[in-house]
Amino acid sequence: MITATAAEIISVGTELLLGDIINTDAAYLSRALAMLGISVYRQSVVGDNRERILSELDSAFSRCDTVFLTGGLGPTCDDITRECTAEYFGLSLLFNDEAMEHIRQYMADLGRITVTENNRRQAMVPEGADVFINSAGTAPGLAVHGIGRDGREKLAILMPGPPSEFERMAEEHVIPYLSRRSGKVLVSRNIHMYGIGESSAETLLRDFMDQENPTVAPYCDPGEVRIRVTAAAATEEEAEAMCQRTVDEIKLTDAGRYVYAVLDRVIPGKGTAAARVLVEELKEHGLTVAFAESCTGGLASKLVSDVAGSSAVLCGSAVTYAVSSKKAVLGVSDETIRELGVYSEECAREMAEGARRLYSADIAVSVTGVAGPGDDGDTPCGHVCIGVASERGVRSVAVEFGRKRSRDTIRTLAAGRMIHEALDEARLLK
Amino acid sequence: MITATAAEIISVGTELLLGDIINTDAAYLSRALAMLGISVYRQSVVGDNRERILSELDSAFSRCDTVFLTGGLGPTCDDITRECTAEYFGLSLLFNDEAMEHIRQYMADLGRITVTENNRRQAMVPEGADVFINSAGTAPGLAVHGIGRDGREKLAILMPGPPSEFERMAEEHVIPYLSRRSGKVLVSRNIHMYGIGESSAETLLRDFMDQENPTVAPYCDPGEVRIRVTAAAATEEEAEAMCQRTVDEIKLTDAGRYVYAVLDRVIPGKGTAAARVLVEELKEHGLTVAFAESCTGGLASKLVSDVAGSSAVLCGSAVTYAVSSKKAVLGVSDETIRELGVYSEECAREMAEGARRLYSADIAVSVTGVAGPGDDGDTPCGHVCIGVASERGVRSVAVEFGRKRSRDTIRTLAAGRMIHEALDEARLLK
């Protein structure tokens, strides 16, 4: 049996070569494999073309023993990844009852009764392959075992291309499968930091980064730093204890004060870490939050509502883009706008108080500023004021996110800061 | 001189192999090249490693004459794409004054005076290469000319990896450069459609898709279909006239009634096409819009405010996630909530009216529904009601986006529909 330490990823799909879709699968898989201690040396993209898929398989298997193929498992005649992999290893395709039963059931749930000949093709499995049932679609995943031209055992893992199917299958089947094969249990912890740059975090934690087990590696999320600690051990308990020791050591360094959460997993598409932590802690303490947004245009609220179950704690957000709305909806005073302007801390404070009142929220966080492009009169692009209101009173802060930054980046950083301010306030209130 | 018809893309960067960043550059470039009539047969990703970059270059140049390399042009010693390309062709690296002057100026604008030895490395250029100044960073792009092992003329185009620098350089330099070399002028028009699926659009427009010049190709944006028409001709006028003829013909087909806009360009990061068209038309007619959002959590407003200059027409959005906020902020009646529930068309209508009143907007569009995960009691996941209020009165519609769809997808589709409802209303009002 192969225990993978190195792998390559081949993504199959003409729509990737046309640039119509972005290859998020390769990034997701690479990240998951890095966590399992498997190095990805190469990713490639080829079209739905028999010669090119076969030649790519041959070249990948000349360099390593494990190759992941994503895409090309659909029901149409373009989809030939399964057939090409079987052909490469000289394996027959056999009809698989379990896969067919799943396809039938999945389509029945969608209200489609007619199972076509094309769907039957998706139930054809290379002999000896392990089958991964697809809980978000019809095409099963496959672990195909063969012998390479170098006489070595080879493993091709085939996964569906659509990210929703791909990610479910990675989580439910492929990662556990690889981890079983490795005979090791891998446990990770993510240390989330806010208020420190990636290079400063790296400098402070350099010694940890040289460790071999657990490994310690920095990642850059928008406006944040994440340190991933991964331990490999014979049992889960042992790996967890190793992780915990390193996490505790890191918290005792000078970087420790920037840590706002330690989470087991980063879950793509389930909301940012900060939004998830905010929703969780507000729930725990029975608190609610509202926002008042100008330059972020609703992004802070959108980020919190990305988290399933946020309706228990998120009252809402008053997006007041127009000056008149700041007055009419949030009750910002004419005088403040006239004397200090909309890009003032006072305006942010009045917006936060207005939102707290309007939504009867425990905590309200506001934002007003210039997201660009370009300065607005005397106020430089990137100048943002944030207000926070709660029963503790009202406070504000002015931040310069930088004139060279794009509109999109400034808005993302401002919304991130708002969520962190809400989290800080919740911790002060509890 | 090579006139490219086929090309490969090599993305260089260990962070891509670790899955820390997603390869958006390859998708962007592939799309741009498709528009220029250049087919991309393969994309690959390799780490910042001399042997692997050289071997990848060799294998790519064995299949085609034009290769794009993205990434690895930074100032640190990891960044070796420039050196490897020069080595591959046996070219010396020469110090380039123009590039250095730009680097010095760019850093001075950022407030950094000290130009390090590493920055000087970025001004080293393989002999005979064309230099593309980077208006969003320091590393220049390069068009490096060499001879391949097959004795043929080869062209390697090197571009910086960070998407903001990459996309600016593609627009400002690389696409015009390729288009000059091809001796042809390419003009594209994007026909944006809403309310029709991709496969229906393809069926209705099949004959057009077989055309050779202009080419007609469908693309799938979230919830929408875009048909790109690209004409190649000796002059811009000629190419424009050819495009226009095909656009007019397509508008006369049965697919024509789904067309809501024909735009010159798709601009990444500047807002969706529908949001851009909405902002433009509202401005033109002196109208304003507000939203009332429940399940979208602020996304509709965020999408409109992605468009620079939207502050002239977007009053804001009342995000009322909690039931109590629907009543307190928007004045939805107790009776409606008790008798018909929050997921009712009546609730959507009252929300729209409330938002129109609160923001004094010409048009208000509301949404309430279940984004999931899972049903909420008797209301299935994906059930969404949208309300529209203006001086024409108030109307509503209930849409089922499908139970199998993810929370993220349902929210995206719902926000898209809201923007289209606002656009329809603006056109009825004008």
Side-chain angles (χ1 to χ4, degrees):
Chain A
M1 193 170 91
I2 323 160
T3 304
T5 55
E8 295 197 8
I9 300 172
I10 303 174
S11 305
V12 181
T14 302
E15 62 283 24
L16 288 164
L17 292 180
L18 288 170
D20 289 343
I21 53 173
I22 290 171
N23 198 354
T24 53
D25 290 351
Y28 185 100
L29 186 56
S30 295
R31 220 175 239 238
L33 294 178
M35 220 157 76
L36 286 163
I38 302 172
S39 306
V40 175
Y41 285 143
R42 235 161 124 275
Q43 301 167 351
S44 61
V45 178
V46 291
D48 303 287
N49 172 295
R50 181 175 160 274
E51 279 75 38
R52 295 207 189 103
I53 295 172
L54 288 174
S55 122
E56 203 63 28
L57 270 173
D58 198 45
S59 117
F61 276 130
S62 73
R63 288 180 298 252
C64 65
D65 299 332
T66 305
V67 172
F68 294 82
L69 293 105
T70 71
L73 301 180
T76 75
C77 54
D78 289 353
D79 296 302
I80 55 173
T81 305
R82 196 171 25 237
E83 287 74 8
C84 290
T85 308
E87 179 181 346
Y88 181 74
F89 287 135
L91 301 169
S92 319
L93 284 163
L94 307 172
F95 185 76
N96 184 290
D97 289 319
E98 189 203 1
M100 191 65 233
E101 184 44 38
H102 168 74
I103 293 168
R104 200 172 280 128
Q105 189 56 52
Y106 188 86
M107 294 185 66
D109 285 350
L110 282 179
R112 296 191 207 142
I113 308 302
T114 329
V115 173
T116 64
E117 200 46 47
N118 278 337
N119 292 122
R120 288 180 62 88
R121 270 189 58 221
Q122 296 190 301
M124 298 301 287
V125 167
E127 43 183 330
D130 302 306
V131 176
F132 306 130
I133 291 302
N134 181 342
S135 49
T138 53
L142 298 167
V144 184
H145 310 271
I147 302 293
R149 286 204 298 161
D150 55 9
R152 294 167 59 94
E153 264 185 67
K154 303 286 178 184
L155 174 63
I157 295 189
L158 280 56
M159 300 171 70
S164 56
E165 301 179 29
F166 172 85
E167 291 175 14
R168 277 286 279 277
M169 187 170 288
E171 292 277 322
E172 290 175 1
H173 298 293
V174 175
I175 295 168
Y177 180 85
L178 294 169
S179 141
R180 276 198 304 279
R181 288 173 67 90
S182 74
K184 283 189 293 193
V185 181
L186 286 141
V187 168
S188 287
R189 290 288 177 273
N190 291 282
I191 306 178
H192 294 267
M193 299 186 183
Y194 186 75
I196 184 172
E198 194 189 8
S199 57
S200 313
E202 268 193 74
T203 309
L204 290 173
L205 302 175
R206 178 136 314 151
D207 291 350
F208 289 95
M209 314 259 170
D210 296 336
Q211 275 183 204
E212 289 216 336
N213 186 18
T215 56
V216 174
Y219 295 86
C220 212
D221 295 336
E224 306 208 3
V225 172
R226 177 163 53 91
I227 306 289
R228 194 169 58 201
V229 178
T230 303
T235 68
E236 191 159 341
E237 292 68 39
E238 205 185 322
E240 266 172 12
M242 288 166 70
C243 268
Q244 195 54 53
R245 264 198 304 278
T246 300
V247 168
D248 291 341
E249 284 164 21
I250 288 175
K251 282 173 141 181
L252 289 174
T253 67
D254 286 346
R257 65 193 187 90
Y258 300 99
V259 176
Y260 71 89
V262 178
L263 301 179
D264 290 4
R265 300 163 61 201
V266 176
I267 315 172
K270 305 282 169 179
T272 64
R276 283 166 54 212
V277 172
L278 175 64
V279 168
E280 207 170 285
E281 298 201 7
L282 289 173
K283 263 189 197 165
E284 207 178 307
H285 302 293
L287 296 169
T288 59
V289 69
F291 296 100
E293 305 185 60
S294 184
C295 57
T296 52
L299 180 57
S301 166
K302 189 261 172 195
L303 289 172
V304 174
S305 66
D306 280 342
V307 182
S310 51
S311 56
V313 298
L314 175 64
C315 303
S317 176
V319 183
T320 52
Y321 219 58
V323 176
S324 57
S325 307
K326 289 182 183 69
K327 295 194 270 185
V329 179
L330 293 170
V332 175
S333 73
D334 272 327
E335 196 194 335
T336 298
I337 288 171
R338 202 175 47 238
E339 306 288 323
L340 303 164
V342 284
Y343 306 132
S344 62
E345 289 192 50
E346 178 54 29
C347 181
R349 285 192 294 268
E350 290 179 28
M351 287 172 70
E353 286 176 314
R356 182 160 179 257
R357 211 165 39 232
L358 185 63
Y359 285 97
S360 312
D362 295 307
I363 299 167
V365 179
S366 69
V367 69
T368 173
V370 182
D375 304 347
D376 188 357
D378 289 342
T379 311
C381 173
H383 174 83
V384 167
C385 297
I386 289 172
V388 183
S390 77
E391 62 173 38
R392 293 178 61 248
V394 58
R395 58 188 172 85
S396 62
V397 60
V399 191
E400 305 298 330
F401 286 118
R403 292 170 92 144
K404 284 265 173 185
R405 287 214 160 109
S406 74
R407 181 175 172 81
D408 209 33
T409 304
I410 291 168
R411 283 153 50 99
T412 303
L413 293 175
R417 176 67 180 257
M418 291 170 75
I419 290 170
H420 278 285
E421 292 292 345
L423 181 58
D424 288 349
E425 196 66 17
R427 288 176 175 180
L428 291 168
L429 281 176
K430 78 183 178 193
Chain B
M1 194 169 89
I2 323 158
T3 305
T5 54
E8 296 197 7
I9 300 173
I10 304 174
S11 304
V12 181
T14 302
E15 63 282 24
L16 288 163
L17 291 180
L18 287 170
D20 289 342
I21 53 174
I22 291 170
N23 198 355
T24 53
D25 290 350
Y28 186 100
L29 186 56
S30 295
R31 220 175 239 238
L33 294 177
M35 220 157 77
L36 285 162
I38 301 172
S39 306
V40 174
Y41 285 143
R42 234 160 124 275
Q43 301 166 351
S44 62
V45 179
V46 290
D48 303 286
N49 172 295
R50 180 175 161 274
E51 278 75 37
R52 296 208 188 102
I53 296 172
L54 289 174
S55 122
E56 203 64 27
L57 270 174
D58 198 45
S59 119
F61 277 129
S62 74
R63 289 179 297 252
C64 64
D65 298 330
T66 305
V67 172
F68 294 83
L69 292 106
T70 71
L73 301 181
T76 75
C77 55
D78 289 354
D79 296 302
I80 55 172
T81 304
R82 196 172 23 236
E83 286 76 6
C84 290
T85 309
E87 179 181 346
Y88 182 72
F89 287 135
L91 300 170
S92 318
L93 285 164
L94 306 173
F95 185 76
N96 185 290
D97 289 318
E98 188 202 1
M100 191 65 233
E101 185 43 39
H102 169 73
I103 292 169
R104 200 173 280 129
Q105 189 55 51
Y106 189 85
M107 293 184 69
D109 285 350
L110 281 180
R112 296 191 208 142
I113 307 301
T114 330
V115 173
T116 64
E117 199 46 47
N118 278 338
N119 291 122
R120 288 180 63 88
R121 272 189 58 223
Q122 296 189 302
M124 299 299 289
V125 167
E127 42 182 331
D130 301 306
V131 177
F132 306 131
I133 291 301
N134 181 342
S135 49
T138 53
L142 299 167
V144 184
H145 310 272
I147 303 294
R149 286 204 298 161
D150 55 8
R152 293 167 60 95
E153 264 185 68
K154 302 286 179 182
L155 174 64
I157 295 188
L158 280 56
M159 300 171 70
S164 56
E165 301 178 29
F166 172 85
E167 291 175 14
R168 278 284 280 278
M169 188 170 288
E171 292 279 321
E172 289 174 1
H173 298 293
V174 175
I175 296 168
Y177 180 85
L178 294 169
S179 143
R180 277 197 303 279
R181 288 173 67 90
S182 73
K184 285 187 292 194
V185 180
L186 287 142
V187 169
S188 286
R189 290 288 177 273
N190 291 283
I191 305 177
H192 294 266
M193 298 187 182
Y194 187 75
I196 184 173
E198 194 189 7
S199 57
S200 312
E202 268 193 72
T203 308
L204 290 173
L205 302 175
R206 176 133 318 149
D207 290 349
F208 289 95
M209 315 258 170
D210 296 335
Q211 275 184 202
E212 290 216 337
N213 187 17
T215 57
V216 174
Y219 295 86
C220 212
D221 296 335
E224 306 207 5
V225 172
R226 177 162 53 90
I227 306 288
R228 194 169 57 202
V229 178
T230 303
T235 68
E236 192 159 341
E237 293 67 41
E238 206 185 322
E240 266 172 13
M242 289 166 71
C243 266
Q244 195 54 54
R245 264 198 304 279
T246 300
V247 168
D248 291 341
E249 283 165 21
I250 288 175
K251 282 173 141 181
L252 289 174
T253 67
D254 287 344
R257 65 192 187 90
Y258 301 100
V259 176
Y260 71 88
V262 179
L263 301 179
D264 289 4
R265 300 162 61 201
V266 176
I267 315 173
K270 306 281 169 181
T272 63
R276 283 166 53 210
V277 172
L278 175 64
V279 169
E280 208 169 285
E281 298 201 7
L282 289 173
K283 264 189 198 167
E284 206 177 306
H285 302 292
L287 296 169
T288 59
V289 69
F291 296 100
E293 306 185 59
S294 184
C295 57
T296 52
L299 180 58
S301 166
K302 190 260 170 196
L303 288 172
V304 174
S305 65
D306 280 343
V307 182
S310 51
S311 56
V313 298
L314 175 63
C315 303
S317 176
V319 184
T320 53
Y321 219 59
V323 176
S324 57
S325 307
K326 290 184 182 66
K327 295 194 269 184
V329 178
L330 293 170
V332 175
S333 74
D334 272 326
E335 195 194 335
T336 298
I337 288 171
R338 202 175 48 237
E339 306 290 322
L340 302 164
V342 285
Y343 307 132
S344 62
E345 288 193 49
E346 178 53 29
C347 182
R349 284 192 295 267
E350 290 179 28
M351 287 172 70
E353 287 176 314
R356 183 162 179 257
R357 208 165 41 232
L358 185 62
Y359 285 97
S360 311
D362 295 308
I363 300 166
V365 180
S366 69
V367 69
T368 174
V370 182
D375 303 347
D376 188 358
D378 289 342
T379 312
C381 174
H383 173 83
V384 167
C385 297
I386 289 171
V388 183
S390 77
E391 63 174 38
R392 295 179 59 249
V394 57
R395 59 189 171 85
S396 63
V397 60
V399 191
E400 306 298 330
F401 287 118
R403 292 171 92 144
K404 284 269 172 183
R405 287 217 161 105
S406 75
R407 180 174 172 82
D408 209 34
T409 304
I410 292 168
R411 283 153 50 100
T412 303
L413 294 175
R417 176 67 180 258
M418 291 170 75
I419 290 170
H420 278 284
E421 291 292 345
L423 181 59
D424 288 348
E425 196 67 16
R427 288 177 174 178
L428 291 167
L429 281 176
K430 77 185 179 191

